[in-house]
Amino acid sequence: MHFSLRQLQIFEAVARNLSYTRAAEELHLTQPAVFAQVKQLEEGVDMPLIERTGKQLHLTEAGREVLATCREALDATARLEMRLADMRGLKRGRLRLAVVTTAEYLVPRLLGEFCARHPGIEASLVVTNREKLLVRLAENADDLTVLGAPPENLDVVARPIADNPLVVLARRDHPLAGEGHIPLARLAEEPFILRESGSGTRLATERHFARHGLSIRVRMELGSNEAIKQAVAGGLGISVLSAHTMALEGASGVLAPLAAEGFPLMRKWYLAYPAGKHLSAVAEAFQEYLLRRGVSADETGAPASARG
Ligand code: PGA
């Protein structure tokens, strides 16, 4: 079999119009040129594709087969053209990311590395808590989203990109600081400083205690991880935060993780977007970059007990 994409294109126009003349007009060719191309295609496949009864053109059975495949081939070519145009866009392009508050300790660094490789890309990053992020995800407001657990009520594609261990944090001179295997019930007696409701960290913490039939004594609610660390350092209570929030603190800081039962609570970071969304080449490339790069336990600030 011998034929070109151009011949398929011309045949498709003739088969759709059932007219050489109209196909020629549509393609800005002469009628004899169109006729000659269809003839060559018929020779190439070694079967008649179009028959004439009186003035009316008809597709033969082989013609209908060729037409169906023609359309698939032309669709695939159009998709290829779009993707190639997108890839050329990697030289320029925009990337709109939205991440949950706590992911701000991880994602900007990864984004920085990616942008250093593709200096023409303009990136924007929205940082907000889980509840607000889910609204953005439902509205398809961003190219990609990073969050702590895939949403339960939204149809999304979600891929894990890194570990997100949650640790119990106390001031280093806290009476429980040196102890091992602190029962969860003992922990529940302590005053807690928690993130605002709507925070994924808070939700995961409360669920963990609830699974053990316990509830948390909330002494204070703060809308920022950094503010919580300051409040813990100030001796106002203990908290549960992502180990990422400690990544830059060092081992001898004012805060120390407690060896509490069930902690670190192992969660993951997910990269997500609405199911069926067509990712731009830039978004696709960033996703690929994250999946290929991986994130080590050192980078997540995970305590030694959480490392595999
Ligand atoms: P948060 O989310 O910053 O809203 O607490 C983090 C998470 O979902 O783990």
Side-chain angles (χ1 to χ4, degrees):
M1 272 206 307
H2 225 71
F3 52 79
S4 68
L5 199 60
R6 184 65 178 151
Q7 284 167 355
L8 293 185
Q9 223 166 16
I10 292 172
F11 173 71
E12 195 276 335
V14 175
R16 182 162 34 80
N17 289 297
L18 287 175
S19 157
Y20 290 104
T21 312
R22 279 200 296 276
E25 277 165 14
E26 189 179 298
L27 298 167
H28 307 291
L29 295 171
T30 62
Q31 197 267 3
V34 168
F35 188 79
Q37 289 291 326
V38 173
K39 267 272 148 292
Q40 275 181 29
L41 179 61
E42 288 182 320
E43 280 159 21
V45 300
D46 203 16
M47 275 201 232
L49 302 177
I50 294 179
E51 286 169 342
R52 182 187 288 278
T53 50
K55 288 193 161 194
Q56 185 60 46
L57 297 188
H58 300 276
L59 293 182
T60 63
E61 197 185 335
R64 282 194 295 276
E65 279 299 317
V66 171
L67 178 62
T69 305
C70 238
R71 289 192 169 141
E72 283 169 23
L74 295 174
D75 274 357
T77 311
R79 280 199 302 275
L80 174 66
E81 271 170 9
M82 198 159 84
R83 291 187 59 78
L84 291 175
D86 260 359
M87 283 161 90
R88 282 192 286 275
L90 264 189
K91 291 204 184 83
R92 278 174 280 115
R94 277 176 58 77
L95 178 61
R96 289 164 309 156
L97 287 182
V99 307
V100 266
T101 323
T102 305
E104 73 185 342
Y105 293 91
L106 176 72
V107 178
R109 218 172 335 128
L110 302 174
L111 182 61
E113 289 172 12
F114 179 75
C115 289
R117 286 162 187 243
H118 305 286
I121 286 172
E122 221 181 283
S124 64
L125 184 72
V126 169
V127 181
T128 188
N129 77 16
R130 176 176 174 84
E131 197 172 70
K132 295 195 178 115
L133 196 77
L134 292 183
V135 173
R136 294 184 69 92
L137 192 56
E139 289 171 349
N140 190 19
D142 308 287
D143 291 324
L144 292 167
T145 298
V146 176
L147 75 177
E152 284 148 19
N153 317 319
L154 280 179
D155 192 10
V156 300
V157 178
R159 298 200 166 93
I161 52 163
D163 287 335
N164 175 23
L166 300 191
V167 293
V168 184
L169 288 179
R171 206 156 90 159
R172 199 166 285 279
D173 59 3
H174 191 280
L176 293 176
E179 289 193 19
H181 307 294
I182 305 162
L184 209 58
R186 169 69 190 83
L187 214 59
E189 292 169 12
E190 292 292 314
F192 269 78
I193 302 164
L194 282 190
R195 284 277 306 278
E196 76 285 5
S197 57
S199 144
T201 310
R202 176 167 181 157
L203 193 68
T205 307
E206 287 181 332
R207 280 188 178 165
H208 181 63
F209 277 81
R211 270 198 299 275
H212 292 80
L214 296 166
S215 58
I216 298 173
R217 282 176 53 208
V218 184
R219 164 111 185 247
M220 189 183 277
E221 201 177 275
L222 292 173
S224 126
N225 294 319
E226 288 300 309
I228 289 180
K229 280 159 59 183
Q230 292 298 328
V232 172
L236 290 173
I238 63 173
S239 187
V240 173
L241 289 181
S242 165
H244 290 276
T245 65
M246 300 298 291
L248 299 179
E249 300 293 320
S252 57
V254 188
L255 304 178
L258 296 186
E261 184 190 6
F263 284 92
L265 193 56
M266 289 312 285
R267 304 184 75 218
K268 289 203 180 290
W269 290 120
Y270 289 85
L271 191 67
Y273 55 89
K277 179 182 175 83
H278 171 78
L279 288 188
S280 72
V282 176
E284 192 98 57
F286 184 61
Q287 168 170 265
E288 269 303 297
Y289 177 72
L290 294 188
L291 295 175
R292 245 184 312 111
R293 181 194 184 282
V295 176
S296 70
D298 280 337
E299 291 176 287
T300 62
S305 57
R307 296 181 187 192

